[in-house]
């Protein structure tokens, strides 16, 4: 079984922090893109006719920039080509695109059963400062409309450590988010990625961000408030009521298989990690000739697989299973990482329950530093 990620690169506006593959939608060949996206799916699945798809995630960019007719075309293709009858089917959406019912109705009729809404903040001044074009009041209407359309599995994203953001400001966004009484929330610390407006401003000394202590306080506030509201932290940045954990993202964190469709998408099947062309025309050109738009294949060596098993698994509440590691790699965790595990336990960054290694509460705050300890410098074989 595998997951499927589908990338829609079009946006009505480019946010200042975003480094995902995206383009401003005006003048873009959107209809042709959707048609070629379905062609790519047919070409790939012809080589994997027996692969069962258990989750589908449509991300971006902004998938909700598609018209209702294009949403219907895409959803119909997902069911027909991927033989996807039931399972978690997520669509990312901008709040402004949910102010009327047409797109929501198209998603619902197309079998979409989970929405992830990009909110980021409930402060209008901060939303403007980070390049978002919606305003906080719009979120309330978007969520109400989603519920009216029949969506129960709803999630929103929040970002902390934003320019001009105080701890109290983020707390206010947390409270407003939780007041919506949704089953799932994601909250991320701002990362300054290259080729973004914020990264360039930082290089110029023109970006003022909260310091590390305030950032840690914001993260602690999120953990505490989510727990108090019944949302379990099942991954470093994700919180859900029991039964509403994002199954597609869990598939990533469990280092399982997934297909990637669309411009700039990545897939990971077997030991093959592949990457599609990012620029729209470079993605479309081979598909017009019925060829796959893959720019690169990377055969992942066993050392890299082990590293990712640790990095990704430790992000989750359940952690890394010793038995699963041994079954997958025919080597025990102690044989590969014995000294590292012991040192991290002594530093109270790692703990163990039954056969699972997990981060401690302190370890969650030092996740990247912990993960770096699992890099393998020399080949094992």
């Amino acid at each position: 079984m595998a997951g499927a990620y589908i990338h829609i690169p079009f946006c009505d506006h480019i946010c200042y922090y975003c480094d995902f593959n995206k383009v401003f939608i005006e003048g873009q060949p959107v209809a042709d893109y959707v048609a070629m996206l379905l062609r790519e799916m047919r070409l790939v699945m012809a080589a994997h006719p027996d692969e069962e798809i258990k989750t589908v995630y449509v991300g971006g960019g902004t998938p909700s920039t598609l018209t209702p007719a294009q949403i219907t075309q895409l959803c119909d293709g997902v069911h027909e080509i991927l033989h996807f009858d039931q399972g978690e089917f997520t669509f990312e959406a901008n709040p402004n695109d949910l102010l009327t019912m047409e797109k929501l109705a198209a998603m619902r009729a197309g079998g979409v059963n989970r929405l992830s809404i990009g909110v980021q903040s409930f402060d209008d001044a901060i939303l403007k400062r980070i390049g978002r074009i919606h305003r906080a009041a719009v979120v309330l209407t978007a969520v109400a409309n989603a519920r009216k359309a029949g969506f129960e599995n709803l999630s929103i994203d929040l970002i902390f450590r934003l320019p001009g953001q105080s701890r109290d400001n983020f707390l206010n966004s947390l409270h407003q988010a939780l007041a919506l009484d949704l089953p799932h929330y994601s909250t991320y610390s701002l990362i300054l990625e290259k080729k973004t407006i914020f990264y360039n401003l930082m290089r110029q000394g023109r970006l003022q961000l909260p310091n590390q202590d305030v950032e840690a306080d914001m993260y602690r506030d999120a953990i505490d408030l989510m727990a108090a509201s019944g949302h379990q932290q099942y991954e470093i940045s994700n919180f859900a009521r029991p039964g509403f954990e994002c199954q597609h993202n869990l598939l990533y964190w469990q280092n399982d298989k997934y297909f990637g469709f669309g411009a700039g998408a990545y897939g990971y099947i077997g030991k093959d990690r592949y990457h599609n062309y990012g620029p729209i025309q470079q993605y479309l050109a081979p598909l017009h000739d019925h060829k796959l738009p893959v720019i690169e294949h990377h055969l992942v060596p066993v050392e890299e697989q082990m590293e990712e098993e640790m990095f990704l698994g430790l992000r989750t509440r359940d952690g890394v299973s010793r038995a699963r590691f041994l079954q997958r790699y025919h080597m025990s965790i102690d044989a590969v990482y014995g000294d590292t595990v012991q040192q991290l336990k002594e530093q109270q960054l790692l703990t163990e329950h039954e056969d699972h290694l997990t981060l401690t509460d302190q370890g969650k705050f030092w996740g990247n530093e912990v993960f770096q300890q699992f890099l393998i410098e020399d080949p094992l074989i």
Side-chain angles (χ1 to χ4, degrees):
M1 294 192 294
Y5 173 78
I6 299 171
H7 191 72
I8 306 297
F10 309 113
C11 291
D12 288 320
H13 188 78
I14 305 301
C15 301
Y16 302 159
Y17 54 84
C18 178
D19 77 326
F20 293 119
N21 189 48
K22 77 279 182 186
V23 292
F24 184 54
I25 193 170
E26 186 174 338
Q28 294 294 332
V30 182
D32 189 31
Y33 182 88
V34 174
M36 292 302 101
L37 184 56
L38 298 181
R39 179 172 291 178
E40 181 194 4
M41 291 162 58
R42 287 192 177 91
L43 290 171
V44 170
M45 298 315 294
H48 300 272
D50 299 323
E51 192 69 64
E52 181 182 353
I53 303 298
K54 62 179 180 179
T55 65
V56 175
Y57 192 105
V58 185
T62 312
S64 58
T65 56
L66 299 180
T67 66
Q70 289 163 348
I71 291 171
T72 298
Q73 181 184 4
L74 176 60
C75 291
D76 288 348
V78 164
H79 292 296
E80 174 198 348
I81 302 165
L82 302 184
H83 306 295
F84 181 73
D85 296 323
Q86 58 183 358
E88 183 186 86
F89 189 175
T90 302
F91 230 85
E92 290 184 348
N94 187 307
N96 283 349
D97 294 324
L98 307 182
L99 292 180
T100 59
M101 300 300 295
E102 291 81 3
K103 293 185 180 184
L104 284 163
M107 293 177 201
R108 196 76 183 114
V112 176
N113 52 30
R114 183 177 185 274
L115 287 182
S116 177
I117 305 172
V119 173
Q120 319 316 351
S121 174
F122 281 87
D123 183 299
D124 286 347
I126 285 183
L127 287 170
K128 185 176 181 179
R129 196 174 297 140
I130 66 177
R132 298 291 290 174
I133 58 175
H134 77 271
R135 295 298 173 255
V138 168
V139 177
L140 305 183
T141 303
V143 169
N145 284 346
R147 284 174 164 151
K148 183 179 178 181
F151 287 98
E152 297 178 0
N153 196 349
L154 297 169
S155 177
I156 63 173
D157 294 349
L158 296 175
I159 301 178
F160 59 95
R161 190 181 165 246
L162 292 170
Q165 188 181 47
S166 67
R167 181 181 180 183
D168 285 344
N169 179 279
F170 181 59
L171 265 172
N172 183 57
S173 282
L174 282 170
H175 283 297
Q176 292 195 56
L178 288 168
L180 292 171
D181 194 28
L182 304 181
H184 189 284
Y185 296 91
S186 300
T187 181
Y188 307 96
S189 176
L190 175 69
I191 298 175
L192 298 177
E193 302 283 6
K194 293 182 179 179
K195 301 181 181 179
T196 64
I197 293 172
F198 275 173
Y199 183 82
N200 291 332
L201 289 174
M202 180 271 294
R203 292 283 301 273
Q204 298 166 19
R206 296 169 54 200
L207 190 69
Q208 300 300 316
L209 301 176
N211 62 39
Q212 287 185 334
D213 289 340
V214 173
E215 177 187 3
D217 288 339
M218 291 174 171
Y219 184 44
R220 170 53 65 190
D221 290 338
I223 292 172
D224 292 344
L225 283 177
M226 291 293 171
S229 67
H231 294 83
Q232 298 177 6
Q233 186 179 22
Y234 71 100
E235 191 269 346
I236 282 180
S237 301
N238 287 271
F239 306 83
R241 292 200 179 111
F244 287 92
E245 298 85 356
C246 179
Q247 297 305 305
H248 184 82
N249 286 342
L250 280 171
L251 180 147
Y252 290 148
W253 298 319
Q254 291 165 357
N255 210 16
D256 282 336
K257 297 186 293 185
Y258 56 91
F259 294 96
F261 302 108
Y266 284 84
Y268 184 38
I269 301 297
K271 299 178 182 179
D272 176 28
R273 176 170 289 119
Y274 63 89
H275 180 201
N276 282 350
Y277 284 101
I280 304 298
Q281 294 301 332
Q282 290 186 38
Y283 168 78
L284 294 175
L287 287 165
H288 285 149
D289 293 330
H290 294 268
K291 297 177 182 177
L292 288 174
V294 176
I295 186 173
E296 180 184 27
H297 287 277
H298 171 53
L299 189 62
V300 181
V302 67
E303 292 85 1
E304 191 174 334
Q305 293 176 51
M306 290 177 175
E307 291 169 353
E308 292 177 356
E309 188 84 13
M310 302 304 294
F311 299 165
L312 298 170
L314 286 174
R315 291 187 63 90
T316 68
R317 175 185 59 207
D318 293 338
V320 179
S321 163
R322 288 181 176 275
R324 177 184 167 100
F325 191 98
L326 179 62
Q327 181 182 25
R328 280 193 161 190
Y329 307 111
H330 308 292
M331 297 180 71
S332 69
I333 287 179
D334 285 338
V336 182
Y337 292 119
D339 291 343
T340 298
V341 167
Q342 186 58 38
Q343 290 170 9
L344 291 170
K345 284 182 176 179
E346 291 171 359
Q347 295 167 13
Q348 298 185 331
L349 299 174
L350 205 63
T351 188
E352 188 160 3
H353 177 67
E354 295 179 351
D355 87 324
H356 286 73
L357 294 171
T358 60
L359 292 178
T360 63
D361 283 345
Q362 183 180 354
K364 293 173 185 175
F365 285 81
W366 296 94
N368 288 336
E369 287 76 5
V370 173
F371 302 153
Q372 288 175 14
Q373 304 304 309
F374 291 97
L375 292 172
I376 299 173
E377 296 182 1
D378 299 315
L380 297 175
I381 299 175

